[in-house]
């Protein structure tokens, strides 16, 4: 969904501005993102991804799991975003704002990363090293997000950096998936 957001940001279909101090953890005022960060938008992205996986892999199980993971993005964002998420666009916005409480948000995000890696390791077999490398990469990207230089303007450089970070995570996750098999 964030890949879609940054793509749509480039086209002007979704918008954000940087406001220093907007939240304690980042300056991004995500004031207009109905196509990616509305509940309806997340459902459409999830359904689309489910269909792609169904066609590509030839069965619904992967599609439904993949679609649910994409859809869960909205629910996880609901925890950390300030009220900027909508149900289907519009003026009513939701978000619990945990980005204003780093002592809660940071352990939550680390816990989700480690918890999902543990669940993946528990339900699959294969070499551990690729999974460890993925976890280290995800945590490093998260640390850069939290402690690296804050963006100073919404521009192509910020978008390319976002695509680069997401691309690294996806490439390593793909490599991990090629080296592990679901326990059966």
């Amino acid at each position: 969904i964030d890949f879609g957001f940054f793509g749509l940001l480039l086209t002007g279909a979704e918008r954000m501005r940087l406001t220093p101090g907007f939240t304690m953890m980042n300056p991004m005022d995500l004031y207009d993102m109905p196509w990616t960060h509305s509940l309806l938008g997340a459902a459409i992205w999830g359904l689309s991804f489910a269909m792609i996986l169904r066609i590509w892999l030839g069965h619904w199980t992967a599609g439904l799991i993949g679609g649910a993971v994409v859809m869960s993005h909205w629910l996880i964002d609901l925890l950390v975003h300030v009220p900027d998420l909508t149900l289907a666009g519009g003026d009513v916005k939701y978000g619990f704002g945990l980005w204003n409480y780093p002592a809660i948000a940071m352990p939550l995000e680390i816990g989700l990363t480690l918890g999902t890696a543990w669940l993946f390791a528990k339900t699959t077999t294969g070499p551990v090293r690729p999974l460890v490398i993925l976890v280290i990469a995800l945590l490093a990207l998260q640390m850069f997000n939290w402690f690296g230089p804050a963006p100073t303007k919404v521009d192509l450089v910020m978008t390319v950096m976002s695509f680069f970070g997401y691309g690294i995570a996806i490439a390593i996750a793909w490599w991990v998936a090629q080296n592990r098999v679901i326990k059966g």
Side-chain angles (χ1 to χ4, degrees):
I1 285 182
D2 285 340
F3 243 112
F5 169 71
F6 282 103
L8 291 172
L9 186 66
L10 283 174
T11 71
E14 293 196 333
R15 296 175 295 190
M16 69 178 258
R17 60 185 157 239
L18 299 177
T19 305
F22 185 71
T23 72
M24 289 184 68
M25 294 185 68
N26 71 61
M28 296 184 299
D29 178 1
L30 304 162
Y31 66 94
D32 183 32
M33 27 180 215
W35 303 106
T36 58
H37 284 75
S38 67
L39 185 57
L40 177 61
I44 292 169
W45 284 90
L47 180 61
S48 299
F49 192 62
M51 296 298 291
I52 289 168
L53 289 177
R54 163 61 177 99
I55 292 166
W56 182 21
L57 299 174
H59 54 85
W60 278 109
T61 304
L64 293 174
I65 291 170
V69 168
V70 170
M71 181 70 192
S72 74
H73 183 99
W74 192 89
L75 297 170
I76 293 169
D77 274 358
L78 181 65
L79 298 174
V80 294
H81 279 234
V82 296
D84 58 13
L85 305 170
T86 64
L87 296 179
D91 294 331
V92 179
K93 298 189 177 186
Y94 302 90
F96 298 140
L98 291 182
W99 276 338
N100 282 319
Y101 304 94
I104 298 170
M106 288 176 171
L108 175 66
E109 292 184 27
I110 291 170
L112 284 170
T113 300
L114 296 177
T116 54
W118 172 83
L119 181 62
F120 184 72
K122 184 173 174 58
T123 59
T124 61
T125 61
V128 174
R129 181 177 288 155
L131 184 56
V132 170
I133 291 170
L134 175 62
V135 169
I136 290 169
L138 291 174
L139 292 175
L141 288 166
Q142 190 64 60
M143 294 301 143
F144 181 79
N145 180 278
W146 289 337
F147 303 115
T152 56
K153 59 184 174 178
V154 178
D155 61 3
L156 182 61
V157 172
M158 185 188 80
T159 301
V160 168
M161 289 290 292
S162 299
F163 284 143
F164 180 73
Y166 295 135
I168 288 171
I170 289 168
I172 298 172
W174 177 266
W175 174 57
V176 169
Q178 300 309 301
N179 288 284
R180 297 195 65 86
V181 177
I182 296 173
K183 290 180 181 175

